[in-house]
């Protein structure tokens, strides 16, 4: 995970509030930006070519992007989505259900 990834995630969460609650949209947008930066036109790229680029590790992993989104939302309250509070309020119940703290 790079400083660049953090910067991009912050910019996108600021510009597109729907990304705050949608990892799929956030990841897709970042991959589109990375593909364009590599000179690929995402509009007419064959699926097989995209999958090869992804499999070869040429794109930031979805895990790294979503991990960074979580870290950014912990640090910047204003970038939290509607689902953030719901997840946090459910945290104690999940811990109890999993047997933590007993």
């Amino acid at each position: 995970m790079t400083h660049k990834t953090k910067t991009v995630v912050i910019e996108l969460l600021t510009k597109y509030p729907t990304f705050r609650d949608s990892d799929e949209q956030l990841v897709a947008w970042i991959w589109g930006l990375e593909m364009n930066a590599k000179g690929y036109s995402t509009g007419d790229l064959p699926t097989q070519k995209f999958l090869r680029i992804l499999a070869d590790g040429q794109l930031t992993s979805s895990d790294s992007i979503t991990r960074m989104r979580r870290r950014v939302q912990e640090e910047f309250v204003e970038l939290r989505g509607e689902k953030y509070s719901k997840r946090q309020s459910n945290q104690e119940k999940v811990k109890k259900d999993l047997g933590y703290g007993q």
Side-chain angles (χ1 to χ4, degrees):
M1 240 176 322
T2 66
H3 178 69
K4 181 181 175 190
T5 302
K6 182 176 182 179
T7 302
V8 171
V9 168
I10 290 170
E11 289 173 4
L12 292 175
L13 294 180
T14 301
K15 188 172 182 178
Y16 303 104
T18 57
F19 291 2
R20 297 172 187 176
D21 288 321
S22 177
D23 285 340
E24 295 80 8
Q25 289 181 1
L26 179 63
V27 169
W29 197 270
I30 289 174
W31 284 351
L33 292 173
E34 291 177 342
M35 295 289 290
N36 288 334
K38 293 179 184 304
Y40 297 108
S41 172
T42 54
D44 60 356
L45 186 73
T47 304
Q48 189 63 33
K49 179 72 173 171
F50 168 76
L51 293 174
R52 175 56 42 209
I53 292 166
L54 181 62
D56 287 345
Q58 296 182 47
L59 302 175
T60 303
S61 75
S62 60
D63 288 341
S64 292
I65 295 168
T66 58
R67 188 178 315 114
M68 184 57 74
R69 191 250 329 134
R70 291 189 299 273
R71 289 179 58 192
V72 164
Q73 287 180 327
E74 284 179 19
E75 186 177 346
F76 299 98
V77 176
E78 68 277 11
L79 296 179
R80 295 176 182 172
E82 294 176 16
K83 292 180 181 178
Y84 184 90
S85 295
K86 291 177 186 175
R87 284 192 305 267
Q88 295 303 311
S89 66
N90 198 33
Q91 182 175 347
E92 290 306 315
K93 180 187 179 311
V94 171
K95 283 182 181 179
K96 183 179 177 187
D97 291 347
L98 294 173
Y100 293 115
Q102 293 183 16

